[in-house]
Amino acid sequence: MDSKTKEVIPFAHIFFNNTSYGTQANESGEFSISKIYPGQYQVHVSSIGYENKIYSLKIEENHTNLLLFLNESSKDLIEVKVSAGKDVNWERSMKIFERELLGRGYSKKEINIRNREIVEFENNGNLKRNFKAKAKDALLIENNVLGYLYKGFLTEFEITNKQTRYTLSGYFEPMEPKDLKELVRWIRKRRFAYEGSLRHFLKAFVANNLEEQGFYATINISGKNVGFNPIQFIHSTTDTSIVMLDFPGLINCYYRNSKLSSILKPQSIIYCTQSGLLLNPLSMETNGKMADFRMAEELPTDYIYQTTFQKEKSIEEKLYYLQGKIPLMR
């Protein structure tokens, strides 16, 4: 709804950040999103001619009525000129951008940016200076590895001599598998993307079952790597779904006998959910194996890790868990 005139805004886009919850309002400005799990969310609302708005929302029940307002944009619409192609410097910069954002070792068939022409680079993509990128509109990332179409705004992208840092704000739209074989492949790839990830580690840490989940971790105190009990670093908050983690040093962890370790370095006070989601992604710096995770391995925050899949007797039983999350071909 227009915050000034109180008139409805038709066809606005609404999504819950980094989840698979997203939709578009109808001509009357009404929308409905179902099957949302209880929790704390950031709801993003956007429409042509209006400023983007972010609402913080805590869902505790199955039904929540929302009345969302947008402010008319003070910026005039800019005429977009479409050129026949980009120059050599842009193409070179784009390859670097795609490699660092999407992930290394993937083909364009596996993951690609549908609207790559909207990406722009500062300093002409010069890696000798800080490499920065921005996008005029939401990126459309087609991930055929995990079966998602990601629609998100690039709020930050920078490559320095120390690290690659980027921030996206968007949502995951589940793709429809062309057949049963592709669906099963997506199930397995999503499980593989979750296992050994930072989210998996933090969830196991909070639940105090690191070893059971396949992790071996030590903490560096006074220059020595020692074993620890996670309980001593976990503190409750006023919100029972959120905990504070107080790490006195670097954490070195391995997952399932992997020869590659991950080093976790706290940057500030760390708050995370019981399911292992960081409230502030910048509060934890990752190096090593976990630092290699990119959009090709990114899962929506509402993804549910199903440990029972390996024990099921048939594909039909596996598909039972996916009803309502992935539309099936009939």
Side-chain angles (χ1 to χ4, degrees):
M1 184 175 289
D2 190 299
S3 61
K4 186 175 182 180
T5 66
K6 301 301 185 288
E7 296 180 352
V8 299
I9 303 173
F11 310 118
H13 292 274
I14 303 97
F15 66 85
F16 287 40
N17 192 33
N18 288 330
T19 71
S20 60
Y21 309 134
T23 189
Q24 185 175 20
N26 61 22
E27 59 184 7
S28 301
E30 300 172 338
F31 69 94
S32 176
I33 302 176
S34 60
K35 299 180 181 178
I36 302 176
Y37 293 100
Q40 189 76 34
Y41 297 95
Q42 285 189 327
V43 182
H44 291 236
V45 189
S46 63
S47 183
I48 296 176
Y50 290 86
E51 297 176 351
N52 294 345
K53 189 71 176 288
I54 301 175
Y55 289 88
S56 292
L57 175 67
K58 185 174 183 179
I59 293 184
E60 298 176 333
E61 300 177 357
N62 293 330
H63 301 282
T64 301
N65 293 321
L66 298 177
L67 185 59
L68 307 175
F69 293 92
L70 292 180
N71 298 322
E72 189 174 1
S73 177
S74 59
K75 298 179 181 180
D76 296 328
L77 291 177
I78 301 174
E79 179 184 2
V80 178
K81 296 181 180 180
V82 180
S83 58
K86 299 288 187 177
D87 61 24
V88 175
N89 287 332
W90 184 90
E91 287 290 351
R92 185 189 70 246
S93 299
M94 191 65 196
K95 288 181 180 179
I96 297 172
F97 174 75
E98 289 174 322
R99 182 189 68 207
E100 294 300 319
L101 178 68
L102 305 181
R104 305 186 182 200
Y106 293 97
S107 68
K108 289 186 177 181
K109 184 179 180 180
E110 291 176 304
I111 184 168
N112 65 85
I113 301 174
R114 288 183 179 178
N115 55 344
R116 63 202 301 267
E117 70 278 356
I118 70 170
V119 180
E120 297 178 345
F121 303 98
E122 293 185 16
N123 303 323
N124 204 23
N126 188 351
L127 281 174
K128 293 182 179 180
R129 305 173 66 179
N130 284 2
F131 183 102
K132 295 183 179 181
K134 58 183 179 179
K136 304 173 185 177
D137 202 350
L139 293 173
L140 303 178
I141 301 176
E142 181 180 340
N143 187 347
N144 291 297
V145 178
L146 301 182
Y148 294 110
L149 175 62
Y150 182 83
K151 302 178 180 179
F153 295 93
L154 183 68
T155 55
E156 179 188 28
F157 184 93
E158 182 177 14
I159 302 175
T160 66
N161 58 353
K162 293 184 178 180
Q163 62 180 350
T164 296
R165 182 174 63 246
Y166 64 86
T167 308
L168 284 162
S169 176
Y171 74 100
F172 298 78
E173 184 177 297
M175 295 166 59
E176 188 165 342
K178 62 178 180 286
D179 53 34
L180 194 59
K181 182 179 179 180
E182 183 170 58
L183 178 58
V184 174
R185 178 172 61 83
W186 285 347
I187 295 172
R188 293 172 178 168
K189 290 291 186 180
R190 290 173 185 178
R191 284 175 54 83
F192 184 75
Y194 177 85
E195 292 173 343
S197 66
L198 177 61
R199 176 178 168 186
H200 187 192
F201 173 82
L202 290 175
K203 182 179 181 180
F205 188 98
V206 173
N208 193 21
N209 62 354
L210 286 173
E211 186 175 349
E212 179 184 332
Q213 289 297 314
F215 289 98
Y216 170 73
T218 60
I219 192 164
N220 190 288
I221 299 178
S222 300
K224 295 183 178 180
N225 292 323
V226 297
F228 61 90
N229 184 343
I231 294 298
Q232 65 189 105
F233 305 125
I234 302 173
H235 306 279
S236 60
T237 68
T238 54
D239 188 332
T240 56
S241 66
I242 298 173
V243 297
M244 184 185 79
L245 304 181
D246 180 22
F247 296 135
L250 301 180
I251 291 182
N252 196 322
C253 68
Y254 294 83
Y255 180 70
R256 297 208 184 282
N257 300 320
S258 172
K259 295 181 180 180
L260 300 176
S261 67
S262 297
I263 299 175
L264 310 180
K265 182 180 180 181
Q267 298 297 299
S268 62
I269 297 177
I270 299 169
Y271 293 95
C272 78
T273 66
Q274 298 283 350
S275 59
L277 298 171
L278 286 173
L279 270 61
N280 177 13
L282 299 180
S283 63
M284 177 80 80
E285 179 182 313
T286 59
N287 293 281
K289 183 63 177 178
M290 289 183 187
D292 292 336
F293 282 79
R294 295 292 191 269
M295 287 304 297
E297 299 93 17
E298 195 71 33
L299 293 163
T301 58
D302 54 305
Y303 168 77
I304 297 178
Y305 178 60
Q306 296 286 0
T307 58
T308 57
F309 278 165
Q310 293 178 341
K311 300 177 183 179
E312 299 298 342
K313 297 180 181 179
S314 68
I315 290 178
E316 286 74 20
E317 287 177 300
K318 295 177 182 179
L319 297 182
Y320 170 80
Y321 290 98
L322 295 166
Q323 290 177 358
K325 298 303 293 181
I326 299 178
L328 303 181
M329 297 293 289
R330 299 295 183 185

